[in-house]
Amino acid sequence: MAVGSGCAAVWGCRRVLKRAFSLHNAHSVKGMEDALQLVRNIVPPLTAKKHKGQDGRVGVVGGCREYTGAPYFAAISALKVGADLSHVFCTQEAAPVIKAYSPELIVHPVLDSPDAVHDVGKWLPRLHALVVGPGLGRDDVLLSNVKDILEASKARGIPIVIDADGLWLIAQQPALIQGYQKAVLTPNHVEFSRLSEAVLGDPLDGQDRRGAVLRLSQALGNVTVVQKGERDVISDGKQVLECSQEGSGRRCGGQGDLLSGSLGVLVHWALQAGPERTDGFSPLLVAAFGACTLTRQCSHQAFQKHGRSTTTTDMIAEVGPAFSRLFET
Ligand SMILES: NC(=O)C1=CN([C@@H]2O[C@H](COP(=O)(O)OP(=O)(O)OC[C@H]3O[C@@H](n4cnc5c(N)ncnc54)[C@H](OP(=O)(O)O)[C@@H]3O)[C@@H](O)[C@H]2O)[C@@H](O)CC1
Ligand SMILES: Nc1ncnc2c1ncn2[C@@H]1O[C@H](COP(=O)(O)OP(=O)(O)OP(=O)(O)O)[C@@H](O)[C@H]1O
Ligand SMILES: [Mg+2]
């Protein structure tokens, strides 16, 4: 189907999706295809009329002594999906390392400075989305700075994707994100259990993943939650969507970072496109479905070439071809 298909197709899409959601069966081939069409609807056209920055300025908050790969994976994925500029806000020590991975990233060595909140805050007016947590670590000073950065971002209405150690912070202080409907949380299995325990007093119910994700989202005031796993389960507290796009059996580290970085751009595109383009469904739900599908398709394509030696770098090399295949057909 083409990008921006006509009304009839969109209404048909809505009908099918409604049914798919209510049956919790959106991973059926038809449901997947219709959900993919909604993602296609939010992808901005590439035209000569735009200036640099319009298709997305994304900031990644993370990167410390131990972890430099994760923020790099997230930030470069945002660029490869189609953001124009990608910033990393990390510690002083991590910055030269991340810069050395890529000349394409703008790297700010500010996260452990006494003026961290001010130093990041002055960039916030220019950012369309923030991805908080990849490679952040759990140092108390950093987490305290990130708490204030989150507050400042919320005050500006900036969409926020929270992943990895950002989710550790949310599990300590769920109030930080409570009711902020421009937030998406992307927990893996362990992170989801931790959040569920903190917010609902109940670790993951392995039998009913959809119900567990729905309940967590509702308890957080309709913050969108993406529980990654064999299937990805996504909910905004009203609807539940599943992504079962074929991925691969490789579970190398960094795949979640690719997902959260991609989601940073897609959230911006979805909110910019508005609910008409997502046929009334939550733009964040559609963006999350897009990021999950893309990540798994990258994994699938990379695995076909590299098999067991597949790493996240191989997956990032597939972002362009996977994106075209899924969303530019
Ligand atoms: N190259 C880099 O710089 C990368 C850096 N990264 C950064 O690392 C930081 C910490 O991230 P994280 O909390 O994800 O810690 P991680 O040690 O992966 O997991 C903790 C333990 O949980 C378990 N476990 C995990 N998944 C599970 C599952 N599905 N089902 C069941 N158990 C599961 C497993 O426990 P085990 O099996 O060892 O008992 C595992 O040891 C964070 O900043 C992140 O961004 C990563 O992004 C990767 C690339
Ligand atoms: N059992 C599985 N089968 C297929 N795909 C999976 C499975 N588990 C996770 N994935 C996929 O791998 C990607 C990353 O999910 P994962 O749970 O590994 O995140 P993570 O632990 O946060 O990763 P990271 O190492 O980046 O921190 C997602 O696209 C998810 O759909
Ligand atoms: Mg992770």
Side-chain angles (χ1 to χ4, degrees), residues 1-7 9-10 37-43 277 327 329:
M1 281 185 259
V3 174
S5 65
C7 201
V10 170
Q37 182 55 40
L38 295 185
V39 182
R40 290 175 195 134
N41 288 350
I42 66 165
V43 175
R277 305 287 291 169
F327 306 132
T329 53

Side-chain angles (χ1 to χ4, degrees), residues 89-175:
F89 301 94
C90 60
T91 64
Q92 189 159 16
E93 236 181 331
V97 181
I98 299 170
K99 285 175 200 274
Y101 296 150
S102 169
E104 290 159 317
L105 304 179
I106 302 164
V107 184
H108 307 265
V110 296
L111 217 47
D112 51 351
S113 96
D115 297 322
V117 181
H118 173 262
D119 290 344
V120 179
K122 68 186 180 200
W123 284 94
L124 290 181
R126 298 162 71 177
L127 296 180
H128 295 119
L130 220 51
V131 180
V132 176
L136 176 62
R138 294 175 189 173
D139 177 88
D140 284 341
V141 173
L142 292 190
L143 293 180
S144 166
N145 288 338
V146 170
K147 173 177 177 289
D148 292 344
I149 292 164
L150 282 176
E151 296 288 14
S153 305
K154 283 187 335 187
R156 289 197 158 272
I158 296 172
I160 311 172
V161 177
I162 306 190
D163 188 27
D165 301 313
L167 296 170
W168 169 265
L169 175 61
I170 297 302
Q172 312 304 308
Q173 302 179 51

Side-chain angles (χ1 to χ4, degrees), residues 188 191 228-230 232 248 251 253-257 259 295-296:
N188 64 18
E191 291 156 349
K228 298 172 290 190
E230 187 174 348
D232 298 327
S248 83
R251 300 271 69 79
Q255 301 186 43
D257 306 317
L259 193 157
T295 306
R296 296 169 73 104

